[in-house]
Amino acid sequence: MKKRAIVISAILLLMLFIGAFFLYRNYLPKTKEGEKSITVTVVHGDGSSKDFDLQTNSEYLREALEEQDLITGTEGEYGLFITEVDGETADDTRQEWWCITKDGENINTSADQTPVADQDQFELTLKEGY
């Protein structure tokens, strides 16, 4: 009887993992292939901003930004941690960091995981304070 309960539990656990995997795949942000035109607004620490109109075949934001040499950073467990944008470096001692938004709204993915579509508008803003 105890063996049967263990087998049933193992099967249910496996089914749960399979279901979670399919849900994850369903709700992943979808990428678009082909040429896209995107706008990236960089808001510097002094409050000035600069717009960049990019033409790209990249599927993710990081690739599009690196094509134009707009960003540099360090690799982390979630992808690239952006440390420099348009020649301005975030100062760690002042708790500065680059925030990515899309159409003024926060996004919950890194540049590595943010898909781009034609006519997307992104903002990279230098923020202070964690």
Side-chain angles (χ1 to χ4, degrees), residues 28-33 36 59-60 114-116:
L28 260 179
K30 305 291 187 243
T31 62
K32 307 274 189 241
E33 291 184 10
K36 297 165 243 359
E59 293 183 22
Y60 293 95
T114 302
V116 294

Side-chain angles (χ1 to χ4, degrees), residues 32-98:
K32 307 274 189 241
E33 291 184 10
E35 184 152 339
K36 297 165 243 359
S37 176
I38 65 171
T39 301
V40 177
T41 301
V42 177
V43 181
H44 291 277
D46 63 4
S48 66
S49 65
K50 186 174 180 182
D51 290 335
F52 294 89
D53 295 318
L54 310 180
Q55 304 297 318
T56 184
N57 287 320
S58 300
E59 293 183 22
Y60 293 95
L61 184 59
R62 176 185 179 173
E63 298 165 355
L65 295 172
E66 286 181 335
E67 283 175 357
Q68 303 298 316
D69 291 324
L70 268 180
I71 62 169
T72 59
T74 56
E75 290 296 330
E77 83 178 89
Y78 301 109
L80 184 72
F81 179 73
I82 299 172
T83 56
E84 182 181 318
V85 177
D86 189 32
E88 184 170 8
T89 302
D91 184 352
D92 236 6
T93 63
R94 296 178 57 197
Q95 296 184 342
E96 291 180 340
W97 56 283
W98 288 99

Side-chain angles (χ1 to χ4, degrees), residues 9-24:
S9 296
I11 291 171
L12 288 175
L13 187 61
L14 180 62
M15 289 173 60
L16 180 67
F17 280 126
I18 291 170
F21 172 76
F22 282 108
L23 281 174
Y24 173 76

Side-chain angles (χ1 to χ4, degrees), residues 37-41 51-53 61 100-105 107 114-124:
S37 176
I38 65 171
T39 301
V40 177
T41 301
D51 290 335
F52 294 89
D53 295 318
L61 184 59
I100 305 171
T101 54
K102 181 178 177 184
D103 297 320
E105 300 289 325
I107 57 174
T114 302
V116 294
D118 195 37
Q119 303 303 311
D120 275 350
Q121 294 186 25
F122 295 96
E123 303 83 28
L124 293 168

